[in-house]
Amino acid sequence: MKTVNVGLIGAGFMAKAHSVAYAGMPMFFWPAPAIPVKKKLVDINEAVAKDAAAKLGFESWGTDWREIIDDPDIDVVDICTPNNVHAKIAIAAAKAGKHILCEKPLSLTTEEAKDMYHAAKAAGVTTMVAFNYRRTPAVQLAKKYIEEGAIGDILDFRGTYLQDWSADPDSPLSWRFQKEVCGSGALGDIGTHVVDMLRFLVGDFEAVNARTATYIPDRPVQSGLADSLGNQKGSANTERRPVNVDDQCCFMVLCKNGAFGTIEATRNAWGRNNYITFEIHGTKGSLAFNYERRDELQVCFASDEDDRRGFRTVYTGPAHPYGEGLWPIPALGIGYTETKIVEMYDFMKAISENRQPDPSFRDGYAIELISEAVLASAVSKKWTKVKSIEE
Ligand code: SOE
């Protein structure tokens, strides 16, 4: 069976998620399209790199990402770094002929996204952006209902991604609050996941009208290298520095097919942990999903008898997308790990079939163009057209 040698850059939460998925994917999907081999892990900090490589099962480690690019044995470059270095690593990887998996959002700016897309296209390599939530079987089932016309023409939709890990004003100023490193705040970090899902389900966005807000203008400087995602609180004596990105972002969307929607993202919603939801209303029915109950899809059909009409729950299982690899009885329950395992399956399958998967760098670039329009609209306070991809 074909093996694919992986070089992973970064050693945080995502490095762990991807490493578990590389190991687990062939245990779920057999025969696997390719067997990932964890060759080398790189992090700028030597101790962190050494420790992560041992813990996550990599054969070797290093401190310079160019070691991975220059290594002829590496087939896949997996980018799990903060957003500000995605572009330079991805462009170098493409030029070296490596396939690329990049964490979301794709880049800091649309210019970077365009360059990444063009570099990968010119090199003919397979690319994927790690928007894993669309791979939840219930989300794929929603797509199936829509494609089959089961809910008719889509009229409108609403999507949310609500978290509370940074709602406390004393939670630290990680890189996720510094524009130079992250590009945007709640919008890029979590809003783009919902944009990806709704773009996948409903279609391309034409224009947006947005409002963004920064609720906590400064935060305590974080100590240590790892992003603590709110778990390390500053004390009264800790130096505070400004936040220059959005804590909350809400926007209306007009799709190219005429559907209208709203999308909301915040990391300041006390009580909401990973509250990714959508509701889609069509001329013949509705669909609703909540990631906190990720094995369920709520469906309602207008054609039901008046006295029976209402949302029913479909629990995903072997009859549903990815069911052949996941668990054998509906509602045994999948988790975050399974969404990443499925992501790795689709990525390895695309590599072995020499094609682009969804979402590829082209989709990542399209989402950057949407984010750019959202941020521009929040300033102009006007409807703003989403620019087209420059092929
Ligand atoms: C932080 O908000 C975060 O880790 C995001 O960056 C991830 O993409 C999301 O899946 C979980 O929350």
Side-chain angles (χ1 to χ4, degrees), residues 295-314:
D295 298 298
E296 303 171 16
L297 184 68
Q298 304 285 323
V299 294
C300 171
F301 297 114
S303 57
D304 284 350
E305 293 298 323
D306 285 352
D307 66 344
R308 309 291 148 91
R309 191 180 305 116
F311 276 103
R312 66 179 81 153
T313 304
V314 180

PDB file of all heavy atoms in Angstrom, residues 295-314:
ATOM      1  N   ASP A 295     -24.226  14.349  16.241  1.00  0.00           N
ATOM      2  CA  ASP A 295     -24.723  13.136  15.573  1.00  0.00           C
ATOM      3  C   ASP A 295     -26.137  13.301  15.060  1.00  0.00           C
ATOM      4  O   ASP A 295     -26.726  12.346  14.560  1.00  0.00           O
ATOM      5  CB  ASP A 295     -24.690  11.947  16.554  1.00  0.00           C
ATOM      6  CG  ASP A 295     -23.279  11.670  17.006  1.00  0.00           C
ATOM      7  OD1 ASP A 295     -22.450  11.336  16.149  1.00  0.00           O
ATOM      8  OD2 ASP A 295     -22.990  11.839  18.208  1.00  0.00           O
ATOM      9  N   GLU A 296     -26.688  14.498  15.235  1.00  0.00           N
ATOM     10  CA  GLU A 296     -28.096  14.678  14.890  1.00  0.00           C
ATOM     11  C   GLU A 296     -28.268  15.739  13.803  1.00  0.00           C
ATOM     12  O   GLU A 296     -27.612  16.763  13.826  1.00  0.00           O
ATOM     13  CB  GLU A 296     -28.874  15.185  16.122  1.00  0.00           C
ATOM     14  CG  GLU A 296     -28.762  14.274  17.320  1.00  0.00           C
ATOM     15  CD  GLU A 296     -29.358  14.890  18.576  1.00  0.00           C
ATOM     16  OE1 GLU A 296     -30.118  15.886  18.471  1.00  0.00           O
ATOM     17  OE2 GLU A 296     -29.074  14.367  19.656  1.00  0.00           O
ATOM     18  N   LEU A 297     -29.207  15.457  12.886  1.00  0.00           N
ATOM     19  CA  LEU A 297     -29.660  16.500  11.958  1.00  0.00           C
ATOM     20  C   LEU A 297     -31.165  16.629  12.144  1.00  0.00           C
ATOM     21  O   LEU A 297     -31.879  15.618  12.183  1.00  0.00           O
ATOM     22  CB  LEU A 297     -29.329  16.130  10.512  1.00  0.00           C
ATOM     23  CG  LEU A 297     -29.692  17.222   9.505  1.00  0.00           C
ATOM     24  CD1 LEU A 297     -28.795  18.456   9.673  1.00  0.00           C
ATOM     25  CD2 LEU A 297     -29.582  16.702   8.067  1.00  0.00           C
ATOM     26  N   GLN A 298     -31.629  17.851  12.308  1.00  0.00           N
ATOM     27  CA  GLN A 298     -33.064  18.095  12.443  1.00  0.00           C
ATOM     28  C   GLN A 298     -33.615  18.405  11.056  1.00  0.00           C
ATOM     29  O   GLN A 298     -33.051  19.245  10.342  1.00  0.00           O
ATOM     30  CB  GLN A 298     -33.318  19.317  13.341  1.00  0.00           C
ATOM     31  CG  GLN A 298     -32.691  19.228  14.725  1.00  0.00           C
ATOM     32  CD  GLN A 298     -33.449  18.284  15.632  1.00  0.00           C
ATOM     33  OE1 GLN A 298     -34.668  18.219  15.574  1.00  0.00           O
ATOM     34  NE2 GLN A 298     -32.723  17.544  16.446  1.00  0.00           N
ATOM     35  N   VAL A 299     -34.691  17.707  10.667  1.00  0.00           N
ATOM     36  CA  VAL A 299     -35.290  17.952   9.348  1.00  0.00           C
ATOM     37  C   VAL A 299     -36.798  18.129   9.490  1.00  0.00           C
ATOM     38  O   VAL A 299     -37.431  17.456  10.302  1.00  0.00           O
ATOM     39  CB  VAL A 299     -34.983  16.806   8.345  1.00  0.00           C
ATOM     40  CG1 VAL A 299     -33.518  16.739   8.021  1.00  0.00           C
ATOM     41  CG2 VAL A 299     -35.441  15.462   8.865  1.00  0.00           C
ATOM     42  N   CYS A 300     -37.353  19.027   8.698  1.00  0.00           N
ATOM     43  CA  CYS A 300     -38.804  19.243   8.713  1.00  0.00           C
ATOM     44  C   CYS A 300     -39.273  19.359   7.257  1.00  0.00           C
ATOM     45  O   CYS A 300     -38.654  20.083   6.467  1.00  0.00           O
ATOM     46  CB  CYS A 300     -39.136  20.533   9.472  1.00  0.00           C
ATOM     47  SG  CYS A 300     -40.860  21.006   9.318  1.00  0.00           S
ATOM     48  N   PHE A 301     -40.315  18.642   6.913  1.00  0.00           N
ATOM     49  CA  PHE A 301     -40.835  18.693   5.541  1.00  0.00           C
ATOM     50  C   PHE A 301     -42.223  19.317   5.506  1.00  0.00           C
ATOM     51  O   PHE A 301     -43.118  18.898   6.255  1.00  0.00           O
ATOM     52  CB  PHE A 301     -40.883  17.282   4.940  1.00  0.00           C
ATOM     53  CG  PHE A 301     -39.526  16.665   4.819  1.00  0.00           C
ATOM     54  CD1 PHE A 301     -39.183  15.545   5.568  1.00  0.00           C
ATOM     55  CD2 PHE A 301     -38.566  17.234   3.988  1.00  0.00           C
ATOM     56  CE1 PHE A 301     -37.915  14.998   5.468  1.00  0.00           C
ATOM     57  CE2 PHE A 301     -37.294  16.684   3.884  1.00  0.00           C
ATOM     58  CZ  PHE A 301     -36.971  15.564   4.632  1.00  0.00           C
ATOM     59  N   ALA A 302     -42.413  20.258   4.594  1.00  0.00           N
ATOM     60  CA  ALA A 302     -43.716  20.911   4.433  1.00  0.00           C
ATOM     61  C   ALA A 302     -44.775  19.896   4.017  1.00  0.00           C
ATOM     62  O   ALA A 302     -45.958  20.055   4.331  1.00  0.00           O
ATOM     63  CB  ALA A 302     -43.603  22.010   3.375  1.00  0.00           C
ATOM     64  N   SER A 303     -44.361  18.827   3.328  1.00  0.00           N
ATOM     65  CA  SER A 303     -45.312  17.844   2.802  1.00  0.00           C
ATOM     66  C   SER A 303     -45.913  16.946   3.886  1.00  0.00           C
ATOM     67  O   SER A 303     -46.850  16.197   3.615  1.00  0.00           O
ATOM     68  CB  SER A 303     -44.632  16.984   1.735  1.00  0.00           C
ATOM     69  OG  SER A 303     -43.489  16.381   2.317  1.00  0.00           O
ATOM     70  N   ASP A 304     -45.398  16.986   5.095  1.00  0.00           N
ATOM     71  CA  ASP A 304     -45.983  16.172   6.172  1.00  0.00           C
ATOM     72  C   ASP A 304     -47.416  16.644   6.453  1.00  0.00           C
ATOM     73  O   ASP A 304     -47.759  17.815   6.230  1.00  0.00           O
ATOM     74  CB  ASP A 304     -45.140  16.299   7.455  1.00  0.00           C
ATOM     75  CG  ASP A 304     -43.854  15.484   7.374  1.00  0.00           C
ATOM     76  OD1 ASP A 304     -43.712  14.694   6.429  1.00  0.00           O
ATOM     77  OD2 ASP A 304     -42.991  15.662   8.254  1.00  0.00           O
ATOM     78  N   GLU A 305     -48.234  15.727   6.950  1.00  0.00           N
ATOM     79  CA  GLU A 305     -49.604  16.094   7.335  1.00  0.00           C
ATOM     80  C   GLU A 305     -49.554  17.229   8.356  1.00  0.00           C
ATOM     81  O   GLU A 305     -48.638  17.281   9.187  1.00  0.00           O
ATOM     82  CB  GLU A 305     -50.295  14.888   7.981  1.00  0.00           C
ATOM     83  CG  GLU A 305     -50.556  13.730   7.016  1.00  0.00           C
ATOM     84  CD  GLU A 305     -51.491  14.123   5.886  1.00  0.00           C
ATOM     85  OE1 GLU A 305     -52.435  14.889   6.133  1.00  0.00           O
ATOM     86  OE2 GLU A 305     -51.254  13.675   4.744  1.00  0.00           O
ATOM     87  N   ASP A 306     -50.560  18.103   8.282  1.00  0.00           N
ATOM     88  CA  ASP A 306     -50.577  19.267   9.182  1.00  0.00           C
ATOM     89  C   ASP A 306     -50.376  18.878  10.648  1.00  0.00           C
ATOM     90  O   ASP A 306     -49.662  19.543  11.394  1.00  0.00           O
ATOM     91  CB  ASP A 306     -51.925  20.002   9.077  1.00  0.00           C
ATOM     92  CG  ASP A 306     -52.022  20.804   7.788  1.00  0.00           C
ATOM     93  OD1 ASP A 306     -50.993  20.895   7.073  1.00  0.00           O
ATOM     94  OD2 ASP A 306     -53.111  21.308   7.491  1.00  0.00           O
ATOM     95  N   ASP A 307     -51.022  17.778  11.048  1.00  0.00           N
ATOM     96  CA  ASP A 307     -50.949  17.422  12.471  1.00  0.00           C
ATOM     97  C   ASP A 307     -49.705  16.613  12.840  1.00  0.00           C
ATOM     98  O   ASP A 307     -49.547  16.188  13.964  1.00  0.00           O
ATOM     99  CB  ASP A 307     -52.218  16.677  12.902  1.00  0.00           C
ATOM    100  CG  ASP A 307     -52.340  15.322  12.203  1.00  0.00           C
ATOM    101  OD1 ASP A 307     -51.636  15.097  11.189  1.00  0.00           O
ATOM    102  OD2 ASP A 307     -53.129  14.494  12.671  1.00  0.00           O
ATOM    103  N   ARG A 308     -48.803  16.368  11.849  1.00  0.00           N
ATOM    104  CA  ARG A 308     -47.551  15.638  12.131  1.00  0.00           C
ATOM    105  C   ARG A 308     -46.335  16.492  11.833  1.00  0.00           C
ATOM    106  O   ARG A 308     -45.213  16.087  12.052  1.00  0.00           O
ATOM    107  CB  ARG A 308     -47.416  14.358  11.261  1.00  0.00           C
ATOM    108  CG  ARG A 308     -48.585  13.443  11.258  1.00  0.00           C
ATOM    109  CD  ARG A 308     -48.732  12.776  12.624  1.00  0.00           C
ATOM    110  NE  ARG A 308     -50.140  12.536  12.901  1.00  0.00           N
ATOM    111  CZ  ARG A 308     -50.787  11.420  12.584  1.00  0.00           C
ATOM    112  NH1 ARG A 308     -50.155  10.447  12.012  1.00  0.00           N
ATOM    113  NH2 ARG A 308     -52.060  11.297  12.853  1.00  0.00           N
ATOM    114  N   ARG A 309     -46.553  17.683  11.236  1.00  0.00           N
ATOM    115  CA  ARG A 309     -45.403  18.450  10.743  1.00  0.00           C
ATOM    116  C   ARG A 309     -44.583  19.021  11.900  1.00  0.00           C
ATOM    117  O   ARG A 309     -45.131  19.523  12.875  1.00  0.00           O
ATOM    118  CB  ARG A 309     -45.866  19.574   9.832  1.00  0.00           C
ATOM    119  CG  ARG A 309     -44.717  20.231   9.083  1.00  0.00           C
ATOM    120  CD  ARG A 309     -45.183  21.349   8.169  1.00  0.00           C
ATOM    121  NE  ARG A 309     -46.204  20.918   7.242  1.00  0.00           N
ATOM    122  CZ  ARG A 309     -47.438  21.395   7.237  1.00  0.00           C
ATOM    123  NH1 ARG A 309     -47.798  22.330   8.097  1.00  0.00           N
ATOM    124  NH2 ARG A 309     -48.314  20.944   6.376  1.00  0.00           N
ATOM    125  N   GLY A 310     -43.279  18.913  11.758  1.00  0.00           N
ATOM    126  CA  GLY A 310     -42.379  19.468  12.779  1.00  0.00           C
ATOM    127  C   GLY A 310     -40.988  18.900  12.560  1.00  0.00           C
ATOM    128  O   GLY A 310     -40.802  18.028  11.701  1.00  0.00           O
ATOM    129  N   PHE A 311     -40.022  19.372  13.302  1.00  0.00           N
ATOM    130  CA  PHE A 311     -38.664  18.852  13.137  1.00  0.00           C
ATOM    131  C   PHE A 311     -38.593  17.423  13.666  1.00  0.00           C
ATOM    132  O   PHE A 311     -39.117  17.116  14.740  1.00  0.00           O
ATOM    133  CB  PHE A 311     -37.663  19.730  13.899  1.00  0.00           C
ATOM    134  CG  PHE A 311     -37.233  20.941  13.120  1.00  0.00           C
ATOM    135  CD1 PHE A 311     -37.751  22.197  13.417  1.00  0.00           C
ATOM    136  CD2 PHE A 311     -36.308  20.830  12.094  1.00  0.00           C
ATOM    137  CE1 PHE A 311     -37.350  23.320  12.696  1.00  0.00           C
ATOM    138  CE2 PHE A 311     -35.904  21.949  11.370  1.00  0.00           C
ATOM    139  CZ  PHE A 311     -36.430  23.198  11.673  1.00  0.00           C
ATOM    140  N   ARG A 312     -37.968  16.544  12.891  1.00  0.00           N
ATOM    141  CA  ARG A 312     -37.651  15.196  13.382  1.00  0.00           C
ATOM    142  C   ARG A 312     -36.132  15.075  13.440  1.00  0.00           C
ATOM    143  O   ARG A 312     -35.420  15.823  12.751  1.00  0.00           O
ATOM    144  CB  ARG A 312     -38.257  14.137  12.472  1.00  0.00           C
ATOM    145  CG  ARG A 312     -37.636  14.134  11.091  1.00  0.00           C
ATOM    146  CD  ARG A 312     -38.225  13.071  10.191  1.00  0.00           C
ATOM    147  NE  ARG A 312     -39.488  13.509   9.616  1.00  0.00           N
ATOM    148  CZ  ARG A 312     -39.973  13.074   8.451  1.00  0.00           C
ATOM    149  NH1 ARG A 312     -39.312  12.200   7.744  1.00  0.00           N
ATOM    150  NH2 ARG A 312     -41.104  13.520   7.974  1.00  0.00           N
ATOM    151  N   THR A 313     -35.649  14.140  14.235  1.00  0.00           N
ATOM    152  CA  THR A 313     -34.197  13.991  14.406  1.00  0.00           C
ATOM    153  C   THR A 313     -33.706  12.758  13.667  1.00  0.00           C
ATOM    154  O   THR A 313     -34.234  11.665  13.879  1.00  0.00           O
ATOM    155  CB  THR A 313     -33.853  13.827  15.905  1.00  0.00           C
ATOM    156  OG1 THR A 313     -34.380  14.947  16.597  1.00  0.00           O
ATOM    157  CG2 THR A 313     -32.352  13.740  16.128  1.00  0.00           C
ATOM    158  N   VAL A 314     -32.705  12.962  12.807  1.00  0.00           N
ATOM    159  CA  VAL A 314     -32.044  11.819  12.174  1.00  0.00           C
ATOM    160  C   VAL A 314     -30.685  11.668  12.845  1.00  0.00           C
ATOM    161  O   VAL A 314     -29.890  12.605  12.852  1.00  0.00           O
ATOM    162  CB  VAL A 314     -31.854  12.052  10.649  1.00  0.00           C
ATOM    163  CG1 VAL A 314     -31.172  10.848  10.015  1.00  0.00           C
ATOM    164  CG2 VAL A 314     -33.189  12.337   9.980  1.00  0.00           C
TER     165      VAL A 314
END
